[in-house]
Amino acid sequence: MVKIFLNILPLFLLMGLGVFARHLGYLSKETIPVLNRLTYYMAIPVMIFLEVSKSDFAKDFNLPTVAMACLALWMGAFFAYLMGKVYGLKGAIKGSLIQCSVHGNLGYLGLAVSFYVMGSEGLIKASIFAGFLIIVQNVISVVALTTFSNKRESGKRLGRLFKEIGLNPIILAALSGIVFSVFRIQMPLFLKESMELLGRMALPLALLVIGASLTLNLFGEYTTQGFLVVLIKLMVLPFLGYILLKFVSSSSFDLLASIILLSSPTATVSYVMAYELGGEPKFTAAAISACTALSIISYSFWVWVVI
């Protein structure tokens, strides 16, 4: 387990560098959103597209594995709903609890850990699986936030949000890569090499942005709710996934890729979604930071369990 921890540690040291860069003023409040958009809409999608397009889709896609991983997300959401009832949470805070418990940072941290633990082949599998999981976790988040929102007008925003899900760059990149893989479409060499240059900066830039965005000063306001999210997102959800995936006898490689994705900390985009759909943005920001800071431990644990 120590060896696994040390293998993942460079990712979190780079996130720490992002924190340091923010305090030095190299990454300001104005530059972080710009870099985030560059990473989310260009670098990460290009990296995913390139990896998936050169894959053997028939070999790398496993329907039972994807189905069980998606089912684990719904079960995790239901468990979060029950915990919300047990602790008497109501309104926006309950919706955000459910959202933060299932909406994982797949595109940034999940894929980065998959690559560093499993190599290029693991990144390909994780990219394909992530395309499906992102759809499900976004649907769950929309349902949870709008159901428990304190804003009556939040329902009017559903159409726009589902449109955003349909135009999610990571989903589109994975689907486009699948098309290129299935039909064996070849790109011109100059275009491929240009895209590879852009794709290489995806993971380092994503980790720097995550680090620069972290804030733990709000956690004290939501201690109980925050610990619930950490427990469910980093431990309960991957445990449910592990049981379900073992039930369908997923290969160790498919199992590891899925568990890494399921154990990913709460996604940074959850804050924007909570703000738009009447959730509790301050709680969401605290949950994102707490889960991200502790995810090096949960990642190491779950990789150790699967291996």
Side-chain angles (χ1 to χ4, degrees), residues 260-271:
I260 287 175
L261 294 177
L262 289 174
S263 61
S264 295
T266 305
T268 51
V269 74
S270 299
Y271 176 86

Side-chain angles (χ1 to χ4, degrees), residues 131-284:
F132 295 91
L133 293 179
I134 286 171
I135 295 174
V136 174
Q137 68 181 21
N138 273 281
V139 170
I140 293 173
S141 297
V142 170
V143 172
L145 290 173
T146 55
T147 298
F148 298 104
S149 173
N150 293 328
K151 297 182 179 181
R152 294 182 179 179
E153 69 273 15
S154 62
K156 299 178 182 179
R157 300 174 182 172
L158 279 176
R160 180 166 64 86
L161 193 66
F162 276 115
K163 181 179 179 180
E164 291 177 3
I165 293 172
L167 296 177
N168 184 291
I170 295 175
I171 296 172
L172 292 177
L175 292 177
S176 300
I178 289 171
V179 171
F180 272 67
S181 173
V182 171
F183 294 100
R184 302 294 181 185
I185 301 173
Q186 298 295 322
M187 286 185 295
L189 185 60
F190 74 91
L191 179 59
K192 183 178 179 181
E193 290 181 347
S194 298
M195 294 176 72
E196 285 177 346
L197 288 173
L198 179 59
R200 284 175 195 151
M201 77 176 194
L203 297 181
L205 188 56
L207 294 169
L208 285 172
V209 170
I210 291 173
S213 304
L214 292 181
T215 174
L216 293 172
N217 58 351
L218 294 173
F219 192 75
E221 297 181 33
Y222 304 98
T223 304
T224 301
Q225 301 94 321
F227 276 118
L228 276 176
V229 171
V230 169
L231 176 64
I232 298 170
K233 187 69 198 72
L234 302 185
M235 298 304 296
V236 174
L237 179 57
F239 173 75
L240 293 171
Y242 183 80
I243 298 299
L244 291 171
L245 290 163
K246 279 290 189 180
F247 179 75
V248 296
S249 300
S250 295
S251 70
S252 57
F253 216 65
D254 288 347
L255 177 62
L256 182 55
S258 300
I259 294 301
I260 287 175
L261 294 177
L262 289 174
S263 61
S264 295
T266 305
T268 51
V269 74
S270 299
Y271 176 86
V272 177
M273 186 179 287
Y275 182 84
E276 289 293 323
L277 292 178
E280 187 60 54
K282 290 176 65 178
F283 163 65
T284 302

Side-chain angles (χ1 to χ4, degrees), residues 27-39:
L27 292 175
S28 65
K29 292 182 179 179
E30 292 75 24
T31 58
I32 292 173
V34 175
L35 290 176
N36 187 67
R37 287 195 295 271
L38 174 66
T39 307

